[in-house]
Amino acid sequence: MNERFSPRLHLWLAIAGIAFRFVLLITGLSAALWFALIHFPDAYNPFTPPDIREAPTVVTPLKLRGLAGEYEICTSVVRASGAKAERTSISSATEGCGMERGLRLQQSRISYGGGIDLTCPAMTALLMWERHVVQPAAQEHLGSEVTRIRHMGTYACRNVNHSAAGRRSGHAAANAIDIQGFDLADGRRITLLSHWGKETDEGRFLAAVHEGACSIFPMVLGPDYNTLHADHFHFEISRWGVCR
């Protein structure tokens, strides 16, 4: 009888051994993940809110997406940066348009020529970009500060590429902003239409702010994307990532 069942017993012992090693592996990985979340710096922990005052990291886009459903936390993040913004909303009877809860920027380190309305995650990304990308790039390539960022708007109830049909643009939910140019403290004006793609200080500055935006905004489109973006950058908080 023992000889008859010994192969089956050996099989079950082998299965039990494999299962035991699998449990040990899962336990070890879980412990490692718990340790990482507890001891990793907040800047690299995707489950902690971003800090606009700190330089972006590889997990910044994940942090920004995580703010989408955390309006109170997000507004605290914006205010902690020193920027002034008021709560606002945009109502629309058109399907897929409007912004239920967002922010109107009243004051930051750089002028935008008036208040701009964005969702809180998009506002957070914009403030990060101007602080950690725009001003450092301006000093490096142009030797002057940016005093104004010229934009072409944030909210617009429309489809992608102004098409009559198709999916809604990020602008329809105030999740996007189009950047056209920059004014400098020394009086110069930098525009994408005049300076993009040129081997000049102005061209290198535009390339730097475009590249830097890609480390913050999930979607960044510029003149190299298509002719519709020949004169502006499109920055958007989106579900997928594109850097063109």
Side-chain angles (χ1 to χ4, degrees), residues 21-38:
R21 287 191 291 271
F22 179 76
V23 170
L24 285 178
L25 176 62
I26 295 299
T27 302
L29 290 175
S30 300
L33 178 61
W34 176 86
F35 181 85
L37 293 179
I38 295 298

Side-chain angles (χ1 to χ4, degrees), residues 217-233:
F217 291 90
M219 179 176 289
V220 175
L221 305 177
D224 291 342
Y225 181 64
N226 61 21
T227 56
L228 292 175
H229 293 81
D231 61 350
H232 69 276
F233 295 136

Side-chain angles (χ1 to χ4, degrees), residues 65-241:
R65 289 190 185 101
L67 291 176
E70 302 291 347
Y71 185 66
E72 296 299 329
I73 293 175
C74 187
T75 54
S76 297
V77 168
V78 170
R79 288 169 179 163
S81 73
K84 293 182 180 180
E86 63 178 356
R87 301 181 185 215
T88 189
S89 61
I90 300 173
S91 60
S92 176
T94 304
E95 183 179 357
C97 291
M99 177 179 67
E100 183 179 355
R101 294 190 297 180
L103 292 175
R104 173 169 295 165
L105 184 63
Q106 298 169 304
Q107 182 180 340
S108 67
R109 293 186 167 191
I110 303 176
S111 170
Y112 289 83
I116 55 176
D117 297 338
L118 284 169
T119 60
C120 190
M123 187 73 74
T124 302
L126 182 67
L127 294 172
M128 280 187 172
W129 176 69
E130 72 169 46
R131 178 185 296 234
H132 299 289
V133 177
V134 174
Q135 291 295 28
Q139 288 293 344
E140 178 182 353
H141 297 286
L142 304 171
S144 182
E145 288 189 349
V146 170
T147 57
R148 178 176 176 181
I149 295 175
R150 295 186 174 268
H151 68 96
M152 300 170 64
T154 56
Y155 176 76
C157 181
R158 62 174 176 82
N159 296 329
V160 172
N161 294 331
H162 298 273
S163 300
R167 64 181 178 86
R168 290 295 188 196
S169 164
H171 290 287
N175 261 324
I177 184 171
D178 291 340
I179 303 297
Q180 185 181 43
F182 306 83
D183 292 355
L184 304 181
D186 62 11
R188 281 179 289 173
R189 178 174 296 177
I190 314 300
T191 67
L192 273 75
L193 205 55
S194 298
H195 301 104
W196 175 261
K198 296 183 178 179
E199 287 299 321
T200 61
D201 292 340
E202 292 82 0
R204 284 184 281 272
F205 164 74
L206 290 177
V209 297
H210 174 273
E211 181 180 355
C214 292
S215 66
I216 299 174
F217 291 90
M219 179 176 289
V220 175
L221 305 177
D224 291 342
Y225 181 64
N226 61 21
T227 56
L228 292 175
H229 293 81
D231 61 350
H232 69 276
F233 295 136
H234 173 91
F235 298 157
E236 180 182 341
I237 298 295
S238 61
R239 294 180 181 179
W240 52 86

